[in-house]
């Protein structure tokens, strides 16, 4: 077994870029070896391609200066074999390398030293050839990293030393082949995208032009999905980092933060680096290599079978960003093998609480979910639980996938130039509005930090024109006297306002609904409309009974939990609840059973949130009466049963009488 292969095969060290994997649990420890084998397979294909080109070309149209020297393939092969060895090695190997002072976190430099120490004159007799391979390993990947913004162009200056040895054209061809292998092994699509740029940069370097890409180029390449590169971020980057530092794993660690947050992180990081370098021993001084890999690795874990950012850590970091005096977390910079390693360090108590939240979230049990709410203040979440922690993504997807028949009929009532979608959630209604009304100004609102972040990423990645802002109609009208809007849509959001808003009288206060609708009405231009699609309360006497028979015991257990946990319908004193354990049957007043049924539809995983919501708060008559008091003209006010509910519950329950109560309503009013 060749030594390079042995180092990569027999290793317990995992050197995976978290950015490039879909699932943390899929990491095997063989990723580096697999990558190297892909580079060698690509080299074999290039060899065949070049051989075919050489043999098939006529002597009069085949330029000799374009030919690849046969020995060049051997050089590239050796470089590829050895360039990643510092990521491997047994525990004993790695301990020896560290003892020898090799900077293992700067893997290209460390790999070059490992190669140099292992390959002596008995293996490769030509000293110049050994020097060529050594230099190519030291600069391994630099072209691609320059294009990605991670490495300054001047880091390639060593390549110029190879021109007297190989000649410029031969070196050019070697670098073309080497970089195709390196980049295409990551992604063939990526290589096609950057092939021309890679060759252009190689040509420029070999012509002696080591001028840097400017700071804006670098920061936009480091953070390609950042919505807005601010002047403040550019200024900090230019003054503190450009072009001095190599910045590895920058995107993997920081892509989930905003420009403002990254600016603060980089500002504080530069202060930490200065303090660390000032206090370090001369021999331990870090160079110009900053690795964010420790932070990237610590920010992610698997949630429901895919990689997911640890939102608990992220929220604590965000709190630190807002206030550097925050306890339990601090920015950390350590010098290891000449590299500056960046991470956030948490107190032991904080780490345990984060671990608890992760376990509770993945368990999904109501008991754990309730325990998490006690910790909301520490993480900076809203105590009213509009933030749903990490399963926000799944909840939003469920909402987006609910292609109910009536969901988008409300778009028919949109009027005017400016449309506000209140509580935009997963953004599906924003997309539908943009598709239907491409010339209108479409604005989404929400009060959840998580939702705002998800929507901004969605806008960036999918290229939408709509905007999203944080706003709460309970607090204020939207805009001001000079900037009113034409249509305001409340799609399945008023019942959440009613259920979660804390007032001196507690939650489930109908005055919050009235206040929100009054503020919305005051936000309209003349002729503007409020459009509502939401739950509806049944207009019957409280003693009208509905009976549910469950088709298995789990349904009855669900109901018992609901009976203990649901705190809504405060206006109904006697709910007439009767439980028949033997026949798996329950009965109660129709509005209570209706609330239960439409919570039961969402299932156990969403229970801890849905049980806190009262879906029906106004009857159709209540809507009509209140809007008439405001002076509005009623365009439509209708209650109906959404067909998805009985379809979903058909296999779970039967009703007596066998008629589902209305679940939803559409209310449209116009300001004269």
């Amino acid at each position: 077994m060749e030594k390079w292969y042995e180092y990569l095969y027999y290793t317990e060290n995992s050197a995976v870029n978290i950015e490039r994997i879909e699932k943390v649990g899929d990491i095997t420890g063989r990723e580096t070896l697999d990558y190297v084998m892909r580079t060698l397979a690509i080299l074999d294909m290039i060899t065949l391609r070049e051989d075919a080109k050489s043999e098939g070309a006529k002597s009069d149209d085949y330029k000799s200066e374009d030919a690849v020297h046969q020995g060049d393939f051997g050089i590239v092969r050796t470089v590829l074999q050895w360039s990643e060895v510092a990521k491997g090695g047994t525990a004993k190997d790695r301990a020896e390398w560290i003892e020898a002072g090799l900077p293992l976190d700067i893997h290209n430099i460390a790999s070059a030293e490992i190669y140099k120490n292992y390959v002596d004159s008995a293996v490769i007799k030509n000293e110049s050839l050994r020097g060529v391979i050594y230099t190519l390993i030291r600069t391994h990947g630099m072209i691609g990293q320059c294009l990605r913004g991670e490495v300054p162009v001047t880091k390639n200056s060593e390549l110029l030393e190879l021109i007297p040895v190989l000649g410029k054209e031969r070196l050019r061809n070697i670098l073309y082949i080497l970089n195709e292998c390196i980049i295409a092994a990551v992604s063939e699509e990526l290589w096609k995208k950057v092939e021309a740029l890679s060759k252009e940069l190689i040509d420029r370097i070999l012509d002696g032009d080591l001028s840097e890409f400017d700071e804006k180029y670098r920061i936009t390449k480091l953070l390609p999905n950042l919505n807005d590169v601010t002047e403040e971020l550019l200024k900090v980057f230019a003054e503190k980092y450009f072009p001095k530092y190599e910045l590895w794993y920058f995107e993997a660690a920081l892509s989930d933060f905003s420009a403002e947050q990254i600016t603060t992180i980089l500002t504080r990081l530069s202060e930490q680096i200065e303090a660390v370098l000032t206090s370090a021993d001369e021999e331990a001084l870090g160079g110009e290599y900053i690795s964010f890999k420790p932070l990237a690795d610590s920010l992610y874990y698997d949630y429901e079978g895919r990689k997911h950012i640890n939102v608990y850590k992220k929220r604590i970091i965000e709190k630190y960003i807002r206030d550097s005096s925050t306890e339990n977390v601090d920015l950390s910079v350590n010098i290891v093998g000449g590299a500056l390693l960046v991470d956030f360090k948490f107190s032991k108590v904080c780490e345990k609480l984060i671990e608890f939240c992760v376990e509770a979230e993945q368990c999904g049990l109501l008991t754990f979910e309730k325990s998490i709410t006690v910790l909301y203040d520490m993480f900076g979440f809203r105590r009213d639980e509009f933030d749903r922690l990490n399963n926000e993504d799944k909840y939003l997807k469920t909402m987006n996938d609910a292609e109910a028949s009536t969901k988008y009929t409300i778009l028919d009532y949109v009027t005017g130039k400016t449309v506000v979608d209140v509580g935009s959630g997963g953004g599906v209604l924003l997309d539908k509005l943009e598709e239907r009304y491409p010339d209108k100004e479409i604005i989404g609102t929400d009060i959840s930090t998580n939702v705002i972040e998800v929507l901004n990423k969605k806008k960036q990645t999918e290229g939408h024109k709509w905007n999203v802002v944080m706003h709460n109609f309970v607090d204020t009208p939207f805009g001001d006297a000079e900037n009113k809007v034409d249509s305001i849509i409340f799609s399945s959001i008023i019942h959440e306002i009613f259920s979660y808003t804390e007032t001196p009288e507690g939650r489930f206060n109908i005055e919050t609904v009235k206040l929100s609708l009054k503020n919305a009405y005051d936000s309209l231009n003349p002729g503007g409309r409020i459009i509502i699609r939401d739950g509806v309360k049944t207009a019957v006497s409280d003693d009208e009974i509905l009976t549910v028979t469950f088709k298995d015991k789990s349904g009855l257990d669900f109901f018992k939990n609901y009976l203990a946990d649901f705190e809504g319908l405060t206006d109904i004193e006697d709910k007439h609840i009767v439980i028949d354990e033997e026949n798996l049957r329950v009965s109660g007043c129709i509005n209570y059973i209706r609330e239960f049924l439409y919570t039961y539809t969402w299932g156990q995983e969403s229970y801890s949130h849905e049980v806190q919501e009262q879906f029906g708060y106004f009857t159709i008559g209540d809507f009509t009466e209140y809007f008439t008091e405001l002076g509005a003209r009623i365009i439509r006010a209708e209650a109906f049963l959404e067909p998805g509910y009985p379809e979903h519950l058909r296999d779970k329950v039967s009703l007596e009488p066998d008629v589902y109560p209305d679940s939803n309503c559409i209310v449209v009013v116009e300001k004269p």
Side-chain angles (χ1 to χ4, degrees), residues 9-27:
Y9 187 87
Y10 295 110
T11 182
E12 297 175 358
N13 182 55
S14 178
V16 181
N17 187 345
I18 199 79
E19 178 189 343
R20 302 195 183 281
I21 63 172
E22 294 294 324
K23 183 178 177 182
V24 177
D26 287 340
I27 296 174

Side-chain angles (χ1 to χ4, degrees), residues 425-436:
V428 65
L429 196 59
L430 292 174
D431 293 348
K432 292 292 184 181
L433 283 165
E434 185 174 87
E435 179 183 333
R436 179 83 171 268

Side-chain angles (χ1 to χ4, degrees), residues 55-231:
E55 293 174 4
K58 296 178 181 179
S59 58
D60 59 349
D61 63 6
Y62 185 68
K63 298 179 181 179
S64 60
E65 61 266 27
D66 289 336
V68 179
H69 192 285
Q70 277 303 116
D72 296 348
F73 292 116
I75 291 173
V76 173
R77 182 173 300 277
T78 304
V79 171
L80 294 174
Q81 289 169 340
W82 284 88
S83 287
E84 306 285 341
V85 292
K87 296 180 180 179
T90 63
K92 182 175 180 293
D93 291 328
R94 297 185 68 78
E96 290 176 353
W97 293 339
I98 292 172
E99 180 68 22
L102 300 189
L104 298 186
D105 285 291
I106 314 176
H107 74 270
N108 53 318
I109 295 176
S111 294
E113 296 304 319
I114 294 169
Y115 166 82
K116 182 179 180 181
N117 293 337
Y118 177 78
V119 180
D120 56 23
S121 58
V123 179
I124 298 179
K125 295 181 179 180
N126 187 315
E127 184 177 349
S128 295
L129 181 57
R130 291 200 306 273
V132 166
I133 294 171
Y134 171 80
T135 299
L136 290 174
I137 295 173
R138 277 183 62 91
T139 56
H140 175 266
M142 288 294 186
I143 298 299
Q145 305 309 330
C146 284
L147 294 176
R148 201 179 180 200
E150 291 183 329
V151 176
V153 176
T154 51
K155 293 293 181 178
N156 291 278
S157 59
E158 293 179 62
L159 292 173
L160 299 177
E161 300 171 6
L162 302 183
I163 294 176
V165 181
L166 296 172
K168 184 183 292 187
E169 292 308 317
R170 187 179 175 194
L171 178 57
R172 190 192 314 275
N173 285 327
I174 288 174
L175 292 174
Y176 282 178
I177 296 169
L178 180 60
N179 281 278
E180 180 175 352
C181 294
I182 293 168
I183 299 173
V186 174
S187 164
E188 286 284 354
E189 183 179 344
L190 177 62
W191 171 244
K192 291 176 183 177
K193 185 177 179 180
V194 302
E195 179 180 3
L197 292 173
S198 299
K199 291 181 176 179
E200 180 182 324
L201 181 56
I202 290 169
D203 292 344
R204 177 158 74 84
I205 291 168
L206 295 186
D207 287 339
D209 180 1
L210 296 173
S211 58
E212 300 291 352
F213 297 109
D214 63 30
E215 61 268 26
K216 187 169 185 179
Y217 172 92
R218 277 195 71 186
I219 198 69
T220 53
K221 290 300 180 181
L222 284 167
L223 297 165
N225 294 320
L226 190 63
N227 191 36
D228 180 30
V229 177
T230 63
E231 290 300 320

Side-chain angles (χ1 to χ4, degrees), residues 493-506:
I493 196 65
I494 300 179
H495 76 273
E496 294 195 350
I497 293 172
F498 173 64
S499 300
Y500 290 123
T501 303
E502 295 284 358
T503 73
E505 292 75 31

Side-chain angles (χ1 to χ4, degrees), residues 345-482:
K345 295 300 181 185
F346 302 89
S347 68
K348 289 184 178 180
V349 171
C350 195
E351 286 281 7
K352 289 296 182 183
L353 289 173
I354 292 169
E355 183 181 342
F356 164 80
C357 288
V358 170
E359 291 301 318
E361 169 201 287
Q362 293 182 336
C363 182
L365 297 176
L366 176 61
T367 303
F368 284 107
E369 292 275 4
K370 284 184 172 180
S371 300
I372 287 180
T373 63
V374 179
L375 307 177
Y376 270 35
D377 280 340
M378 177 176 180
F379 292 113
F381 286 111
R382 298 175 54 92
R383 288 189 64 82
D384 59 18
E385 298 182 49
F386 273 93
D387 279 312
R388 294 173 182 263
L389 307 183
N390 270 5
N391 69 6
E392 182 80 57
D393 287 353
K394 183 172 183 180
Y395 178 77
L396 297 183
K397 185 179 186 302
T398 301
M399 291 172 64
N400 286 356
D401 289 346
E403 296 287 344
S405 59
T406 65
K407 193 175 181 82
Y408 306 117
T409 59
I410 58 175
L411 300 188
D412 297 340
Y413 296 96
V414 169
T415 189
K417 297 180 179 179
T418 308
V419 187
V420 175
D421 172 31
V422 184
S424 296
V428 65
L429 196 59
L430 292 174
D431 293 348
K432 292 292 184 181
L433 283 165
E434 185 174 87
E435 179 183 333
R436 179 83 171 268
Y437 301 109
D439 296 329
K440 294 186 187 299
E441 180 184 5
I442 299 165
I443 305 168
T445 75
D446 214 286
I447 65 173
S448 164
T449 301
N450 284 358
V451 169
I452 296 293
E453 288 183 359
V454 170
L455 286 173
N456 279 326
K457 285 187 180 180
K458 174 182 171 67
K459 176 185 176 180
Q460 176 69 21
T461 56
E462 298 178 10
H464 294 292
K465 295 188 295 182
W466 45 254
N467 293 308
V468 59
V469 298
M470 192 167 288
H471 179 263
N472 190 346
F473 273 96
V474 176
D475 297 333
T476 61
F478 190 87
D480 53 40
E482 303 299 322

